[in-house]
Amino acid sequence: MNQRFDVVVVGAGMAGWTAARRSQELGLSVGIVDKGPAPGACNARVSQGFMNAAYLSMREDPAVLRDYVREITSGAVDEDLLTVWSRTCGRALDWLQAQGVDVGTLPERRDRLYLLPFKISPQGLRDVDPERGPAATIARHERAFTDAGGQFLPESRAVELLTTDAGAVDGIRVRSAGGEREIRADGVVLADGGFAGNPEMLRRYVGPAADRMLLRSLATQTGDGIAMAVELGAATVNMQYFYGHMLSLDALTNDELWPYPLMDGAICDGILVRRDGRRFVDEQIAGSGGSRRAMSGIGVTNAVGQGDDPRDAIAILDASGWALKGWDEERGEFQGTYPANPTIADRGGRVHESDTLNGLAVEAGIAPDALEATVAEYNAAVRAAASKTLPVPRGGNPRLVEEAPFVAVPCTAAITYTLGGLHVTAAGRVRATGGGVVPGLYAAGGTAGGLAGGTKGGYTGGLGEALVFGLLAAEDIAASHCA
Ligand SMILES: Cc1cc2nc3c(=O)[nH]c(=O)nc-3n(C[C@H](O)[C@H](O)[C@H](O)COP(=O)(O)OP(=O)(O)OC[C@H]3O[C@@H](n4cnc5c(N)ncnc54)[C@H](O)[C@@H]3O)c2cc1C
């Protein structure tokens, strides 16, 4: 690989390849490194490929996107980022399609765009089918990039940011089997996916036991970019928030139970308690309507994952609630995944069942008297349409837990990727703690933060956000280069 480029990109995932390809289009010389083997170890490849903007269409009216994201992030969003993201989503999707990437709807889900062909992410994220849409997208980027003369260096980990005497970032130090080397560039884009795979950073930023969550992704996102940038005085934002879901506790030892099925929907159809028998979180924290129920799952997962024990959460449902299978009935049955009921039991996960709450509690290891009291208090509040006045308020459209047999599903919080990260400007430049920016440094995708987070599970769409900010970073570098 050359020792000098206009741009060098760290991480060959959705954000990294977008920044690299767009930089090439704009006439820049580009190098890209990834610590994993070709075609990369990125999570984009194993994702479902659902291209969305906060679960809405990326072609939605920007004003609608802005209002909705303001609501679901409950104030955690940076307004500059929100404005530029909402205005760029549609153009970014056009750009992706112009690259020859197949983006379209499914016969059973005409309102959603996927990277095609659609195939559910493989269980345990093993044996990735290279034909599935997300994997084909990454492979297409790599081919186009090298065909256009770009240099891709797999199995090469960025370990340090290099700076000029004036403090501008002007390259990276890379470690590979052959030793270390320096690669210089006018602009460095950090696109290494965030820190979900770094236990120490999870404990420091997310919660005291956050490393006990199930990692619902490849462990390649080790926070290197954030750590290197913070050493140079970069600012971070929303570091406690992450994208993830509630899964069967048995997914910790059984690959057939992750990344799907999710327990998020089922939790909305019942209540969530700890082993002490008490509720501790609003199971439908983002409310109902649109994608709020889905956001609630992310919000609940954050509350559990940020707490003292991310593995102490048991979903309690009655017969009619469990019969709904955990599907999101507000948006129709198809979720591109598997229903919690009967998939969890069919694949060997624990689903306790009893005709009485007392019997259920004994079987599931929950304090029996407390569980009975919790359900009685909850049912009384639901009957009185007063669930929001419970000691732990309950929003959305709560269902009674009254019809035997009752069901208990032990759950764990599972993290897919971190929503917080380096605080970037609308151009993707990394902000400095003392104000201004770290010159020459950009971040995109899971490494960047400021658009998503908040207690209601404010998620803006990982692939879409990576696409938008990969594009914007490249365009800003090109503009600075020409200036
Ligand atoms: C099972 C699953 C399903 C998902 N489904 C969806 C979905 O349907 N829709 C959606 O929008 N999002 C989805 N996501 C999330 C989505 O995959 C991520 O938001 C997206 O991949 C982020 O892109 P990225 O480029 O930031 O990171 P990644 O795609 O993870 O790429 C980061 C790359 O950086 C490399 N790297 C890390 N450290 C270094 C270093 N020091 N030096 C060099 N390289 C490094 C890694 O090896 C990796 O290849 C899903 C994720 C998973 C796991």
Side-chain angles (χ1 to χ4, degrees):
M1 182 179 252
N2 290 343
Q3 301 306 304
R4 169 132 225 127
F5 296 94
D6 295 328
V7 188
V8 68
V9 179
V10 176
M14 188 58 144
W17 281 121
T18 304
R21 287 289 298 130
R22 184 68 179 134
S23 297
Q24 274 186 323
E25 279 182 349
L26 296 171
L28 304 177
S29 63
V30 190
I32 181 166
V33 302
D34 198 288
K35 69 179 183 184
C42 64
N43 279 296
R45 233 180 136 246
V46 298
S47 75
Q48 289 280 74
F50 171 27
M51 299 301 299
N52 68 89
Y55 290 148
L56 303 178
S57 167
M58 290 184 72
R59 299 198 197 287
E60 182 56 87
D61 177 349
V64 172
L65 290 180
R66 280 199 295 279
D67 285 349
Y68 186 52
V69 170
R70 257 182 224 125
E71 176 199 324
I72 56 158
T73 52
S74 35
V77 69
D78 175 321
E79 281 290 325
D80 288 347
L81 299 186
L82 181 56
T83 301
V84 73
W85 167 81
S86 63
R87 288 184 184 154
T88 312
C89 277
R91 175 169 77 84
L93 205 53
D94 292 342
W95 178 85
L96 190 66
Q97 289 183 299
Q99 302 299 304
V101 171
D102 194 2
V103 185
T105 59
L106 308 179
E108 62 273 51
R109 201 69 218 233
R110 291 274 174 215
D111 59 334
R112 288 185 165 194
L113 289 172
Y114 285 89
L115 300 174
L116 299 176
F118 174 80
K119 287 184 187 173
I120 297 179
S121 298
Q123 291 308 111
L125 301 184
R126 296 163 316 200
D127 307 325
V128 180
D129 177 352
E131 304 294 322
R132 58 192 299 277
T137 301
I138 296 299
R140 174 178 283 275
H141 280 322
E142 185 189 334
R143 263 195 321 273
F145 177 79
T146 43
D147 286 353
Q151 294 196 43
F152 174 35
L153 207 61
E155 299 187 38
S156 302
R157 180 176 194 156
V159 292
E160 187 187 344
L161 292 170
L162 305 173
T163 52
T164 63
D165 291 344
V169 172
D170 76 336
I172 55 174
R173 186 182 309 284
V174 167
R175 189 174 296 152
S176 60
E180 287 193 1
R181 73 170 85 177
E182 292 184 357
I183 302 172
R184 298 281 169 177
D186 298 336
V188 173
V189 182
L190 296 174
D192 57 317
F195 60 95
N198 183 320
E200 191 276 322
M201 287 177 83
L202 287 178
R203 279 195 304 274
R204 180 164 9 134
Y205 293 115
V206 176
D211 57 323
R212 282 172 52 77
M213 285 191 276
L214 175 82
L215 181 60
R216 189 182 165 266
S217 54
L218 303 175
T220 48
Q221 328 152 53
T222 42
D224 300 5
I226 294 173
M228 291 188 287
V230 163
E231 249 181 56
L232 295 184
T236 57
V237 61
N238 289 346
M239 293 291 272
Q240 69 272 43
Y241 299 116
F242 62 93
Y243 170 77
H245 296 287
M246 295 301 293
L247 301 184
S248 157
L249 182 63
D250 296 316
L252 286 159
T253 51
N254 178 351
D255 279 355
E256 294 307 312
L257 292 171
W258 75 276
Y260 302 103
L262 312 183
M263 274 298 292
D264 300 19
I267 288 167
C268 289
D269 292 327
I271 60 171
L272 193 66
V273 298
R274 293 209 192 278
R275 283 187 291 271
D276 66 9
R278 299 201 165 84
R279 290 179 60 244
F280 58 98
V281 62
D282 182 343
E283 293 85 350
Q284 216 166 333
I285 195 162
S288 57
S291 63
R292 290 175 185 82
R293 202 174 125 113
M295 292 295 169
S296 295
I298 303 167
V300 167
T301 309
N302 271 261
V304 178
Q306 290 161 353
D308 290 339
D309 186 356
R311 301 181 186 179
D312 183 9
I314 305 162
I316 307 289
L317 290 94
D318 74 355
S320 63
W322 191 230
L324 295 171
K325 305 177 183 179
W327 289 118
D328 182 353
E329 83 269 19
E330 284 175 6
R331 294 180 62 78
E333 280 223 329
F334 176 79
Q335 293 199 323
T337 67
Y338 313 101
N341 177 23
T343 312
I344 290 177
D346 285 354
R347 295 187 179 179
R350 274 169 294 171
V351 177
H352 303 290
E353 202 178 295
S354 174
D355 282 337
T356 64
L357 283 170
N358 193 286
L360 187 75
V362 170
E363 203 188 311
I366 307 169
D369 292 350
L371 181 65
E372 283 180 327
T374 296
V375 172
E377 181 187 44
Y378 167 83
N379 281 343
V382 173
R383 280 201 184 87
S387 61
K388 287 191 177 152
T389 65
L390 281 163
V392 177
R394 171 63 203 260
N397 34 20
R399 301 175 53 83
L400 290 167
V401 179
E402 61 175 358
E403 187 188 325
F406 301 100
V407 165
V409 183
C411 297
T412 178
I415 181 169
T416 309
Y417 76 96
T418 40
L419 294 178
L422 297 174
H423 195 175
V424 291
T425 67
R429 287 174 178 262
V430 174
R431 292 180 190 273
T433 43
V437 297
V438 180
L441 190 61
Y442 294 77
T447 311
L451 186 65
T455 52
K456 291 184 187 169
Y459 170 60
T460 45
L463 294 172
E465 191 181 327
L467 178 65
V468 165
F469 285 95
L471 216 57
L472 293 171
E475 289 167 0
D476 192 74
I477 295 170
S480 317
H481 207 257
C482 296

